[in-house]
Amino acid sequence: MAPRTRFAPSPTGFLHVGGVRTALYNWLVARQAQGAFILRIEDTDAARNREEWVEGIFDSMRWIGLDWDELYRQSERGALYVDAAAKLEASGLAYWCDCAREAVDARAAARKGPPGYDGFCRERGLGPGEGRALRFRPPDEGATIVPDVIRGAPSFDHATLDDPVIVRSSGDPMFVLANVVDDLDMRITHVIRGEEHLPTTPKYLLLWDALGGGEHPTFAHVPVLVNEKRQKLSKRRDPVALEQYRDEGYLPEVMLNYLALLGWSSPDGEEKLTVEDMLANFRIEDVGNSPAFFDVAKLRAFNGDAIRALSSDEFIARAAPWLEAPHAPWEPEAFDAVAFARLAPLVQERVFRLAEVTAMVDFVFLEEAPVDEGSWIKAMKPHASALLDAVIAAYEICPWEAEHLKAALIEAGEGLELKLKVAQAPVRVAVTGRTVGPPLFESLEVMGREGVLTRLRDARGRL
Ligand code: GLU
């Protein structure tokens, strides 16, 4: 049977890189075997969901290239969950409960046991009504084994499972019910998801059986992502939103490649992988079960390598969004594509993320050099006035080509007993505003004599 996998995000925030990795593994399993990859928006919790997060999921998935064959939204499927809940109630596997959370907690504290529900309403025979939730009743005895291709077969004693709420007192279905009902209805063959869901999987399987689901899906609970301190990535502390990486100018194919390696490696150990490589070699069984380090420095290095591997034309095309509003600080008509194309190969050698392109070339298109005070103070030492005078004089007449511009600056520096590195700093800051950037003399050549002289004179005047 061809696999049917699903990615089932809850739209409660930006799409998390860990979620994207889960989506990728699901996508690979489906695409490798001509199966179907389903995107299911788990939006039953109206209080926590926002439509813009749903749009964000679609945008992020499209950007990174994970296309889906079927799309569902749980908020449109309420009737199915109501039916399933009625079925469970009719077969005596679910019961109504009117315990407030405080009462549940107070009883747990009084019995000095673990927190959680104690089955108080199991035999009370309550019917539906205001303030009442429907609970599922797992068996008291025995255990459920979760066969998991990554984690072996962890076993969960039924005595440790409390009776989960499956329909809230508001009438809305709970996650665990909607999740199982949909996996059944959508004939999901592989449940590949984050390991945080493993503890509820026994309830999932008991519900699956109670609803007459037949053969179980294959489970794979993929490991959490951690930061350099081995802490679980958190959206409050760590950069986790895929959109953030997109906006910083990571290439989508690099993100996909890097995410694939979080918990999995190619059999030959190769790290730079295309989608075709992943499709050929990925096996969900080979995913490891220990936390995976999301190493932003490594990702950045990968991205830099990939940027350098682009053809010059591709680089120019990919950089284009960062040369426009809202990224670009210059007037749109000031942009000169020919000038950019001349600088592009130099910039391509130096950036790790496409967002860095803007600040590397802004000096060409801005009316004035974007001088920051720190760079100015660093570069404009006491020798700067004499140096700028000499350079201005030389640049008024020398041929306007990088090698001549360099030779003239060396000569001006020598006259003041300054090494090239020291001598070029005031010129660089006067013209580009910064102490770092693309190679100076090529930059001057691209800017043209008039523009360069104007800035050098302005800087000299300021000193
Ligand atoms: N909606 C769940 C989440 O966002 C995923 C559930 C699942 O994959 O089974 O964590």
Side-chain angles (χ1 to χ4, degrees):
M1 190 167 63
R4 289 177 58 82
T5 65
R6 84 310 193 265
F7 175 49
S10 305
T12 53
F14 285 114
L15 189 54
H16 186 293
V17 284
V20 184
R21 190 232 358 216
T22 301
L24 169 62
Y25 289 176
N26 276 288
W27 183 90
L28 287 169
V29 167
R31 289 283 174 271
Q32 282 176 325
Q34 286 71 50
F37 173 64
I38 291 161
L39 177 58
R40 183 169 83 215
I41 305 297
E42 300 212 322
D43 56 352
T44 54
D45 190 350
R48 295 183 60 220
N49 299 153
R50 292 229 302 264
E51 197 53 34
E52 65 194 88
W53 304 130
V54 178
E55 289 305 319
I57 292 168
F58 295 153
D59 287 350
S60 296
M61 296 281 285
R62 285 196 196 100
W63 174 73
I64 205 160
L66 297 178
D67 57 335
W68 55 89
D69 304 300
E70 297 169 32
L71 172 68
Y72 302 94
R73 293 184 64 149
Q74 288 191 327
S75 55
E76 293 166 356
R77 298 167 56 82
L80 251 82
Y81 316 132
V82 170
D83 279 359
K87 196 170 157 189
L88 292 167
E89 194 189 345
S91 54
L93 292 169
Y95 62 90
W96 293 98
C97 165
D98 63 358
C99 297
R101 166 162 301 281
E102 300 73 47
V104 173
D105 291 346
R107 288 199 301 266
R111 70 172 182 271
K112 298 196 173 63
Y117 187 67
D118 54 1
F120 186 80
C121 295
R122 278 181 177 176
E123 313 301 338
R124 289 175 68 206
L126 295 178
E130 181 74 20
R132 292 182 183 173
L134 190 67
R135 288 185 185 269
F136 174 63
R137 181 173 180 165
D140 296 328
E141 322 252 289
T144 288
I145 291 172
V146 179
D148 183 300
V149 295
I150 298 177
R151 282 156 209 283
S155 173
F156 298 82
D157 280 340
H158 294 157
T160 66
L161 305 178
D162 60 6
D163 301 355
V165 170
I166 54 175
V167 180
R168 293 188 181 84
S169 54
S170 63
D172 292 332
M174 282 295 277
F175 160 72
V176 62
L177 178 68
N179 190 250
V180 174
V181 169
D182 276 348
D183 282 354
L184 266 167
D185 184 65
M186 295 170 194
R187 304 184 319 283
I188 297 302
T189 59
H190 295 69
V191 174
I192 301 168
R193 59 183 178 179
E195 70 174 322
E196 66 276 17
H197 293 293
L198 183 62
T200 57
T201 305
K203 294 174 190 170
Y204 173 114
L205 284 174
L206 291 165
L207 276 167
W208 178 284
D209 292 344
L211 292 166
E215 200 187 328
H216 293 164
T218 297
F219 287 95
H221 286 94
V222 302
V224 285
L225 303 185
V226 293
N227 65 17
E228 69 286 351
K229 295 188 189 128
R230 312 301 294 174
Q231 296 161 319
K232 187 173 175 219
L233 284 196
S234 112
K235 64 178 169 193
R236 260 161 233 92
R237 183 182 49 224
D238 305 297
V240 297
L242 185 69
E243 290 178 46
Q244 180 176 343
Y245 291 91
R246 182 191 66 193
D247 294 346
E248 288 178 15
Y250 284 88
L251 307 182
E253 66 271 27
V254 173
M255 283 310 290
L256 212 56
N257 181 171
Y258 186 67
L259 290 173
L261 300 177
L262 297 174
W264 175 77
S265 53
S266 177
D268 60 4
E270 178 55 50
E271 291 203 305
K272 302 288 171 68
L273 305 171
T274 63
V275 170
E276 289 67 36
D277 298 330
M278 296 179 214
L279 285 167
N281 294 310
F282 182 78
R283 286 178 4 122
I284 190 69
E285 298 87 330
D286 295 340
V287 172
N289 62 10
S290 46
F293 174 29
F294 186 79
D295 183 350
V296 182
K298 181 166 177 180
L299 170 62
R300 186 172 169 278
F302 261 44
N303 204 57
D305 292 347
I307 285 176
R308 280 174 260 307
L310 296 172
S311 72
S312 185
D313 287 348
E314 263 178 284
F315 173 72
I316 290 172
R318 294 240 187 161
W322 281 270
L323 301 169
E324 294 167 3
H327 304 286
W330 53 81
E331 297 299 323
E333 55 284 359
F335 181 69
D336 175 349
V338 176
F340 178 69
R342 287 174 67 193
L343 283 176
L346 308 170
V347 174
Q348 187 177 0
E349 283 304 308
R350 285 167 176 74
V351 293
F352 288 88
R353 295 161 301 189
L354 293 172
E356 294 162 25
V357 171
T358 324
M360 287 243 172
V361 299
D362 57 356
F363 70 94
V364 185
F365 310 120
L366 286 168
E367 190 76 27
E368 286 174 14
V371 181
D372 76 84
E373 276 318 301
S375 303
W376 179 270
I377 291 164
K378 225 158 95 191
M380 299 302 177
K381 298 272 161 58
H383 58 251
S385 308
L387 180 94
L388 288 178
D389 285 339
V391 172
I392 290 167
Y395 282 5
E396 278 167 353
I397 50 173
C398 84
W400 204 256
E401 279 158 25
E403 53 183 305
H404 295 287
L405 295 165
K406 181 174 179 182
L409 182 76
I410 290 175
E411 209 183 307
E414 277 169 2
L416 297 162
E417 293 184 1
L418 300 173
K419 293 212 176 74
L420 174 62
K421 204 168 156 268
V422 181
Q424 72 175 18
V427 175
R428 181 185 280 284
V429 170
V431 177
T432 73
R434 298 197 171 84
T435 49
V436 291
L440 179 61
F441 303 105
E442 282 82 354
S443 303
L444 300 181
E445 187 185 314
V446 170
M447 257 212 90
R449 192 188 307 265
E450 213 184 307
V452 168
L453 283 174
T454 305
R455 287 191 185 173
L456 291 176
R457 290 186 190 119
D458 285 352
R460 178 64 185 89
R462 235 188 103 180
L463 282 171

